[in-house]
Amino acid sequence: LALYFHIGEREEKCIIEDIPSDTLVVGNYKVQRWDIHKHDFLESAPGLGMFVTVTSPSGEVLLSKLYGPQGTFSFTSYLSGEHIICFQSNSTRFAVIAGSKLRIHLDIRVGEHFLDESVIQAKDKVNEVNVRLEHLIEQIHHVTKEQDYEREREEKFRKTSEETNSNILWWAIVQTLILISVGIWQIKSLRDFFISKKLV
């Protein structure tokens, strides 16, 4: 996931990532500040940092840390589900003038361990193949984990759909019984009315 978004200084912005359990998540970000005179986003001034907070689906805070104008954060998910990743600048300017716009470039990698090419080049060919093979095995494990998580979500969705369909069926049966009962009662009342008026 690679994207950028705009926030005001001291404003908090969150994104939601659906992550399987026991998965490493690595995020890289860079902050740029809007320059009124140049009408462009320039590299952020020194001293501007970002509070990064990550919350698990159960509400547990997995990460809460202050980073610089650009940085890398990482965490491991313990539960599968929607993890909330929030960003807020540590601008110390007064709220009145802290309306400057910030652009955050964000790149999030889920479950991937990237190879260090310099290490690979320093090793001989056998070690290079070995390292690449280990990397490939890690990726296979990640794909398997993703598939298991999607299967689990699909099963949960199917159960919910089946329960809903069952409820609709029972409600339709109840409605039909009510209509039949009301119809029988109306016919009986009408018959009793005609008998009392000696019309039949």
Side-chain angles (χ1 to χ4, degrees):
L1 172 69
L3 54 90
Y4 75 83
F5 54 88
H6 295 145
I7 63 172
E9 291 193 43
R10 306 298 294 171
E11 178 189 352
E12 185 178 54
K13 189 84 118 192
C14 299
I15 61 168
I16 297 173
E17 272 292 306
D18 209 348
I19 304 167
S21 60
D22 300 320
T23 303
L24 176 67
V25 179
V26 179
N28 290 308
Y29 73 88
K30 181 175 79 171
V31 183
Q32 294 176 308
R33 180 180 273 147
W34 176 256
D35 189 290
I36 299 171
H37 307 295
K38 296 184 178 177
H39 296 286
D40 194 12
F41 285 97
L42 304 178
E43 295 305 314
S44 187
L48 180 69
M50 292 299 290
F51 286 106
V52 180
T53 309
V54 179
T55 310
S56 74
S58 66
E60 179 188 354
V61 176
L62 300 177
L63 174 73
S64 181
K65 192 173 176 184
L66 175 63
Y67 295 89
Q70 65 180 53
T72 300
F73 62 91
S74 64
F75 65 93
T76 302
S77 62
Y78 296 104
L79 292 171
S80 57
E82 294 182 341
H83 289 68
I84 302 170
I85 305 169
C86 296
F87 298 87
Q88 184 179 25
S89 74
N90 71 333
S91 172
T92 54
R93 301 200 293 170
F94 293 112
V96 179
I97 59 169
S100 180
K101 199 162 46 169
L102 302 174
R103 175 183 284 174
I104 299 176
H105 297 267
L106 179 63
D107 179 23
I108 294 180
R109 300 186 303 261
V110 178
E112 291 190 33
H113 299 271
F114 288 90
L115 297 172
D116 188 345
E117 293 297 331
S118 61
V119 171
I120 291 171
Q121 289 169 2
K123 306 283 185 182
D124 59 15
K125 288 291 179 189
V126 175
N127 284 344
E128 180 182 343
V129 170
N130 191 25
V131 169
R132 287 190 185 276
L133 190 60
E134 285 176 6
H135 178 66
L136 189 60
I137 289 168
E138 276 185 13
Q139 285 184 321
I140 290 169
H141 284 313
H142 173 64
V143 169
T144 306
K145 217 180 284 182
E146 281 278 354
Q147 287 176 333
D148 289 342
Y149 178 53
E150 289 303 323
R151 200 175 296 117
E152 181 186 310
R153 287 182 64 196
E154 189 273 332
E155 187 179 333
K156 200 180 291 181
F157 178 74
R158 187 169 40 78
K159 279 182 182 173
T160 304
S161 297
E162 286 172 359
E163 285 173 10
T164 304
N165 287 340
S166 174
N167 290 340
I168 289 170
L169 176 64
W170 282 111
W171 179 239
I173 291 169
V174 168
Q175 276 185 319
T176 305
L177 291 173
I178 290 170
L179 285 172
I180 290 170
S181 302
V182 168
I184 291 170
W185 177 78
Q186 282 181 331
I187 289 169
K188 187 179 179 306
S189 298
L190 201 57
R191 189 170 151 266
D192 291 344
F193 173 76
F194 287 146
I195 289 171
S196 69
K197 297 293 181 183
K198 299 183 180 174
L199 296 173
V200 287

